[in-house]
Amino acid sequence: RWMGRIKHQPSRKMRLWLLERGLFSNSLYIRDSAGLGIASLNDPAAIPSLRRAIAQEKNPALREDLEQVLTQLEGA
């Protein structure tokens, strides 16, 4: 979650990559935190990963949260 809040441009791509991978973790908490980190990063490059994660997310509350992040990024 905190990875999206770091203000360090040289590591931005790597942090986004790690957060995107977190969307597909077996852990609900990691998937949720990855979504929050991506929301903080506010990088539309995460849209394809978010769409895939939403399509396979089984937890309705988390799926709804990820859809909100997707809406945010589509407006960015």
Side-chain angles (χ1 to χ4, degrees):
R1 177 181 187 173
W2 54 266
M3 292 179 74
R5 295 181 182 161
I6 296 172
K7 303 295 182 203
H8 184 254
Q9 192 61 31
S11 67
R12 186 177 177 90
K13 283 186 180 183
M14 180 57 72
R15 288 182 289 119
L16 177 60
W17 180 83
L18 287 170
L19 289 167
E20 287 176 317
R21 296 314 170 269
L23 292 172
F24 303 98
S25 171
N26 290 331
S27 167
L28 174 68
Y29 299 108
I30 293 175
R31 294 193 311 273
D32 183 42
S33 294
L36 292 170
I38 288 171
S40 292
L41 240 149
N42 202 36
D43 189 338
I47 289 174
S49 293
L50 267 172
R51 286 187 177 143
R52 286 193 310 275
I54 290 166
Q56 68 184 45
E57 183 55 56
K58 292 178 177 35
N59 182 289
L62 180 53
R63 186 173 44 250
E64 185 177 315
D65 290 346
L66 294 176
E67 287 170 347
Q68 289 176 1
V69 175
L70 179 61
T71 299
Q72 172 190 322
L73 296 183
E74 289 175 333

